[in-house]
Amino acid sequence: MKHKGIFIVFEGIDGSGKSTQAQLTYQWLKKKGINVILTHEPTDSKYGKKIKSIIYDKAKKQKIRNLKGILLKLYTKDRIWHIKNIILPVLKQGFVISDRYYYSTLVYQLDANEWEPYLKRFRYLKPDITFIVDTPARIALKRIINRHKNKAIFEKLEFLKKVREKYLKLKQLDENIIILDGRKSIEAIFKDVKKEINKMLNKSKTK
Ligand code: ADP
Ligand code: TYD
């Protein structure tokens, strides 16, 4: 489906700093007078609510058989809902920034050999640009602890290390992925984000 808007995604392991960059990008574009929304997965749909009720409840989680399969289904349904109800309507004229998208399902729920069949099956709308904030797991965990937020089930050092490796493999799959050095300061990373977005916007103008 053709649309006039621009679709920007931020990805990274928990605590990588992706939400901070998504928020800065949102404020920056809004200040330029652009019609833009900032959205997030898991969403507040019934599927997203179900996901959050599972991943933030340790006791509940332990009781669920086939947790991986159930989460894969829920994240997928939530995303289909997200695209139809939030992303596509705004993209008709405006910009959408999403904090997490299908890349999260690829790296958290699936193995690399499952990526292509999964993407073929669901044929999700592809972002114009995807930023992966690449931060070493040890640094990301420190940031999470400082943030005092509910800890998701995934926020364990060994697990985050594996997820980070998978994120870096995604580059082979998608030419629109930009890897950002998450060890830099918030301001330095944001400078890189703005440079890449400006580059993309100039390119799409000349097309
Ligand atoms: P995520 O959305 O990836 O889980 P956040 O953007 O919420 O991560 O950042 C996690 C914590 O780390 C927050 O307290 C945030 O202020 C801090 N933070 C984000 N980016 C950086 C950075 N580049 N350097 C140092 N601290 C950061
Ligand atoms: P999020 O609210 O973005 O947490 P954080 O700000 O700590 O990164 O995401 C909640 C958790 O959901 C996070 O650990 C990643 C996980 N997740 C998946 O496992 N698969 C998915 O498809 C998505 C969208 C998220």
Side-chain angles (χ1 to χ4, degrees), residues 15-207:
S16 59
K18 69 180 159 36
S19 303
T20 303
Q21 295 301 324
Q23 185 62 243
L24 286 170
T25 305
Y26 170 69
Q27 297 299 343
W28 173 61
L29 291 173
K30 209 165 72 166
K31 228 169 142 187
K32 281 173 177 277
I34 289 171
N35 169 14
V36 55
I37 62 154
L38 174 58
T39 179
H40 180 259
E41 289 186 11
T43 72
D44 285 326
S45 75
K46 64 177 181 189
Y47 310 110
K49 284 191 178 132
K50 182 96 209 252
I51 291 166
K52 285 177 242 181
S53 81
I54 295 173
I55 65 173
Y56 294 115
D57 186 338
K58 216 172 168 183
K60 196 167 174 181
K61 224 174 51 204
Q62 280 166 349
K63 276 193 218 135
I64 299 177
R65 261 196 269 153
N66 185 23
L67 179 68
K68 206 175 161 191
I70 286 173
L71 285 178
L72 174 62
K73 258 192 198 149
L74 284 170
Y75 280 118
T76 302
K77 283 190 173 171
D78 186 42
R79 180 161 312 111
I80 292 167
W81 181 93
H82 193 202
I83 294 170
K84 180 168 181 262
N85 294 285
I86 312 268
I87 299 174
L88 278 178
V90 175
L91 275 184
K92 280 186 187 148
Q93 355 78 26
F95 281 44
V96 174
I97 302 169
S98 187
D99 182 346
R100 294 197 183 280
Y101 193 50
Y102 63 73
Y103 309 93
S104 289
T105 301
L106 301 184
V107 299
Y108 283 88
Q109 273 73 46
L110 298 170
D111 293 328
N113 63 344
E114 297 172 301
W115 290 350
E116 279 195 29
Y118 177 78
L119 290 177
K120 247 192 188 153
R121 180 160 172 217
F122 291 100
R123 299 190 180 278
Y124 295 124
L125 174 74
K126 199 174 159 190
D128 294 290
I129 191 164
T130 297
F131 293 102
I132 295 177
V133 184
D134 177 44
T135 307
R138 190 179 38 83
I139 298 177
L141 255 188
K142 257 195 204 149
R143 290 183 189 164
I144 293 166
I145 292 162
N146 289 340
R147 189 177 56 179
H148 296 297
K149 207 179 130 182
N150 277 348
K151 281 184 206 163
I153 48 170
F154 308 112
E155 293 170 356
K156 303 208 180 82
L157 189 61
E158 285 312 306
F159 183 82
L160 289 184
K161 275 187 186 167
K162 285 198 190 116
V163 174
R164 180 185 177 214
E165 291 305 314
K166 280 165 114 181
Y167 264 125
L168 294 175
K169 271 196 189 166
L170 284 175
K171 183 93 176 105
Q172 311 157 6
L173 205 81
D174 186 334
E175 70 290 358
N176 296 341
I177 285 180
I178 308 285
I179 311 268
L180 299 166
D181 184 350
R183 295 167 303 181
K184 292 188 190 173
S185 70
I186 291 174
E187 296 72 24
I189 301 170
F190 186 47
K191 215 170 145 191
D192 294 340
V193 169
K194 286 190 287 191
K195 198 175 92 193
E196 293 295 339
I197 292 180
N198 282 330
K199 212 157 73 181
M200 176 197 57
L201 293 178
N202 286 334
K203 233 198 262 169
S204 62
K205 256 191 234 156
T206 54
K207 262 187 193 164

